[in-house]
């Protein structure tokens, strides 16, 4: 397993080790908590030397994502190197039937993936659940809006970036991961955000479980790449938000 230079994963080197806990866990462990038979990260010398200080071996973490995203035989031919993250992301989007432009940035494609899941979930949400989600991201007068209008609002929140976009990402990702790997994000949140995460677990859980069943469930690679990509999307939003906040603070 060897890391390929990948500009879309380099931001991992800027994260603190605690932020990467969930990503490393989902790469190593299956939904029942057992160690994945196909993982190679725990055999890596850097992992053995520095775990749980993930930042010191972030390239090994990135390489694990790349290798799970590549065909095993093809990876061997590439000298143990997998595929670039954008290819992994696009493959996940294809499996999840997400519309995206392949020339878009990975951030935009990740947002398309999360919006697709949220769109499907909104159709299953009660008015009370929809209002709670809207309240969490600062949308007022939700009772006057249709589900379709609400989705437009959420899409605008994503495009605007900043704290609300980060919040919305955390809410969606937390629910997805609970359905996929049996545990949500360990990233700290305020009480209101935590409550909203719990409310959304049901609707998004139904959507992601249905999609999961429709995917080639016999492929162990997708059991890794789908939650890993979801984790990376959340970490990217965290990094972008914190970078933006620090620039404002020191400007």
């Amino acid at each position: 397993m060897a890391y390929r230079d990948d500009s879309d994963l380099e931001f991992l080197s800027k994260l603190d080790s605690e932020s990467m806990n969930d990503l490393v866990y989902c790469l190593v462990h299956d939904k029942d908590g057992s160690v994945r038979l196909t993982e190679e990260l725990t055999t890596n010398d850097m992992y053995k030397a520095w775990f749980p200080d993930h930042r010191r071996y972030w390239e090994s973490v990135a390489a694990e994502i790349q290798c799970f995203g590549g065909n095993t035989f093809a990876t061997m031919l590439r000298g143990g190197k997998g595929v670039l993250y954008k290819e992994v992301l696009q493959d996940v989007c294809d499996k999840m039937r997400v519309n995206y432009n392949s020339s878009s940035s990975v951030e935009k494609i990740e947002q398309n993936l999360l919006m697709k899941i949220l769109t499907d979930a909104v159709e299953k949400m009660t008015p009370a659940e929809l209002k709670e989600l809207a309240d969490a991201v600062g949308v007022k007068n939700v009772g006057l809006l249709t589900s379709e209008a609400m989705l437009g609002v959420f899409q605008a929140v994503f495009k605007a970036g900043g704290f609300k976009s980060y919040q919305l990402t955390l809410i969606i990702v937390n629910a997805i991961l609970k359905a996929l790997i049996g545990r949500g994000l360990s990233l700290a949140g305020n009480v209101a955000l935590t409550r909203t995460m719990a409310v959304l677990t049901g609707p998004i859980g139904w959507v992601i479980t249905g999609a999961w069943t429709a995917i080639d469930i016999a492929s162990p690679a997708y059991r890794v790449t789908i939650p890993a990509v979801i984790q990376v999307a959340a970490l990217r939003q965290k990094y972008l938000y914190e970078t933006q906040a620090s620039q404002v603070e020191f400007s």
Side-chain angles (χ1 to χ4, degrees):
M1 180 180 71
Y3 172 66
R4 294 182 67 181
D5 288 339
D6 194 334
S7 60
D8 293 319
L9 289 178
E10 284 179 0
F11 80 98
L12 294 177
S13 67
K14 310 287 199 311
L15 300 176
D16 59 83
S17 293
E18 185 179 1
S19 295
M20 296 175 66
N21 279 341
D22 294 326
L23 175 59
V24 172
Y25 181 89
C26 90
L27 289 172
V28 173
H29 296 89
D30 213 332
K31 186 173 183 178
D32 62 2
S34 61
V35 175
R36 297 183 188 278
L37 297 176
T38 49
E39 68 88 17
E40 295 183 29
L41 186 58
T42 59
T43 65
N44 183 279
D45 289 340
M46 292 294 287
Y47 174 95
K48 291 177 180 178
W50 296 111
F51 177 87
D53 192 357
H54 315 305
R55 187 174 182 176
R56 288 183 177 268
Y57 62 92
W58 73 268
E59 289 182 337
S60 300
V61 174
E64 187 83 350
I65 298 170
Q66 293 173 334
C67 288
F68 267 116
N71 174 277
T72 303
F73 182 65
T75 298
M76 290 174 61
L77 293 179
R78 285 190 292 264
K81 293 186 177 183
V83 298
L84 294 178
Y85 173 74
K86 189 171 186 177
E87 184 175 333
V88 182
L89 171 62
Q90 290 175 317
D91 189 40
V92 165
C93 286
D94 291 341
K95 279 292 182 181
M96 302 292 288
R97 298 180 180 177
V98 176
N99 289 324
Y100 65 92
N101 185 331
S102 60
S103 63
S104 295
S105 67
V106 294
E107 181 189 358
K108 174 63 176 173
I109 297 174
E110 287 169 346
Q111 289 179 349
N112 287 352
L113 171 61
L114 296 179
M115 273 304 301
K116 168 64 165 62
I117 295 170
L118 181 59
T119 299
D120 292 344
V122 163
E123 297 174 359
K124 301 179 184 298
M125 291 169 66
T126 66
E129 289 169 337
L130 190 58
K131 182 179 185 304
E132 183 123 26
L133 175 60
D135 287 344
V137 292
V139 180
K140 307 301 182 184
N141 302 319
V142 65
L144 304 176
L145 299 176
T146 64
S147 297
E148 291 77 14
M150 281 301 307
L151 284 171
V153 172
F154 294 143
Q155 203 158 26
V157 169
F158 267 139
K159 287 181 179 179
F163 182 62
K164 293 301 181 183
S165 175
Y166 175 48
Q167 272 191 316
L168 185 56
T169 298
L170 289 186
I171 291 167
I172 299 170
V173 167
N174 183 73
I176 294 170
L177 293 176
K178 277 196 171 181
L180 290 184
I181 64 173
R183 55 180 268 175
L185 291 168
S186 61
L187 294 173
N190 60 38
V191 175
L193 181 58
T194 303
R195 185 175 64 246
T196 305
M197 284 177 166
V199 168
L200 267 194
T201 297
I204 287 186
W206 299 328
V207 167
I208 199 70
T209 301
W212 190 251
T213 304
I215 292 171
D216 179 14
I217 207 162
S219 171
Y222 286 114
R223 289 184 168 275
V224 182
T225 57
I226 293 175
V229 161
I230 297 297
Q231 290 272 14
V232 170
L235 289 172
R236 192 184 313 279
Q237 286 301 311
K238 173 181 169 64
Y239 170 70
L240 291 172
Y241 164 66
E242 291 180 346
T243 300
Q244 182 183 49
S246 66
Q247 289 173 345
V248 170
E249 183 180 345
F250 292 105
S251 63

